[in-house]
């Protein structure tokens, strides 16, 4: 089985021997690949929709993984009991949706040793929520797979000091490590903030708002980072 670059990056962060859960599994490619490679001992592949669950069961059956991988239909982490999975992946959803999934079954989330989260948008808000709710941002990765640019967040239970807004936006682990795609990550955010400010400048009320000032300050910080 072949995984795309995004899922390979997620897979690289799964600890060996994990009892794994893939929430929003679609075709269950990630858990099946991890089981085939001997990375995980067992897995639950969960999805809210009937079609993806049927596709996941077909993949599991095709690769002879039915004894190790269970496919369950349900909403978010409701397919798990606390402590059933020590590594949970939630990929390909908006950051706000991922937060909602974690909040809805917080006992399941808190019982895991590692969360692997790949938000399609809203990564800054997700990072902030994690730190404010008892997780440490232990690692991060970026994947450039045009037309998509993916952010992957690895979090574990534990206390972490609050970060500056620019760090939440870019990714504190990415900044610390000097990730090879860091310049592109910063450039994407600079472009986005410039567009936002351009739109806000059309309104006198928006230009006078605190949001406008905060966005200007954040853009300046990003521009400094871009030239470091």
């Amino acid at each position: 089985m072949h995984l795309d670059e995004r899922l390979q990056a997620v897979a690289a962060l799964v600890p060996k021997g994990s009892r794994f859960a893939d929430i929003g599994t679609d075709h269950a490619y990630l858990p099946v690949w991890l089981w085939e490679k001997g990375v995980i001992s067992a897995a639950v592949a969960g999805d809210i929709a009937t079609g993806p669950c049927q596709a996941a069961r077909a993949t599991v059956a095709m690769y002879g993984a039915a004894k190790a991988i269970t496919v369950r239909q349900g909403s978010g982490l409701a397919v798990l009991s606390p402590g059933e999975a020590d590594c949970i992946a939630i990929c390909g959803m908006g950051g706000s949706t991922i937060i909602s999934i974690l909040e809805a079954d917080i006992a399941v989330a808190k019982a895991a040793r590692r969360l692997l989260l790949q938000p399609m948008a809203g990564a800054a808000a997700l990072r902030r929520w994690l730190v404010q709710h008892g997780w440490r941002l232990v690692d991060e990765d970026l994947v450039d797979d045009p037309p998509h640019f993916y952010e992957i967040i690895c979090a574990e239970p534990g206390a972490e000091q609050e970060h500056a807004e620019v760090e939440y936006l870019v990714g504190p682990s990415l900044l610390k490590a000097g990730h090879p795609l860091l310049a592109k990550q910063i450039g994407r955010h600079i472009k986005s903030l410039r567009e936002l400010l351009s739109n806000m400048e059309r309104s006198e009320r928006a230009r006078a708002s605190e949001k406008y000032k905060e966005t200007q300050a954040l853009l300046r910080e990003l521009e400094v980072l871009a030239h470091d």
Side-chain angles (χ1 to χ4, degrees), residues 13-163:
L13 294 168
V14 178
K16 189 169 178 60
S18 295
R19 292 169 298 131
F20 183 67
D22 186 26
I23 304 303
T25 194
D26 198 7
H27 285 71
Y29 292 145
L30 180 57
V32 169
W33 187 92
L34 288 165
W35 176 76
E36 273 201 312
K37 299 296 182 183
V39 177
I40 60 174
S41 59
V44 173
D47 206 289
I48 195 169
T50 300
C53 286
Q54 290 173 338
R57 290 188 182 98
T59 302
V60 169
M62 182 186 305
Y63 287 89
K67 290 184 178 179
I69 301 173
T70 304
V71 179
R72 298 177 187 168
Q73 184 171 354
S75 177
L77 298 179
V79 300
L80 298 169
S81 57
E84 189 175 9
D86 44 43
C87 181
I88 299 173
I90 310 175
C91 302
M93 305 178 198
S96 60
T97 299
I98 293 174
I99 290 170
S100 296
I101 287 171
L102 295 172
E103 286 180 332
D105 292 279
I106 196 70
V108 174
K110 288 284 189 181
R113 295 179 185 174
R114 175 167 287 193
L115 301 177
L116 299 176
L117 312 173
Q118 184 266 299
M120 298 300 290
L126 177 56
R127 290 185 182 101
R128 188 185 308 106
W129 184 91
L130 288 165
V131 170
Q132 291 175 349
H133 290 80
W135 276 278
R136 297 181 299 117
L137 306 176
V138 298
D139 204 353
E140 296 174 288
D141 202 358
L142 298 171
V143 174
D144 189 10
D145 187 15
H148 301 294
F149 191 86
Y150 299 109
E151 299 180 67
I152 298 159
I153 300 167
C154 177
E156 295 180 352
E160 180 166 341
Q161 289 187 339
E162 284 270 11
H163 295 279

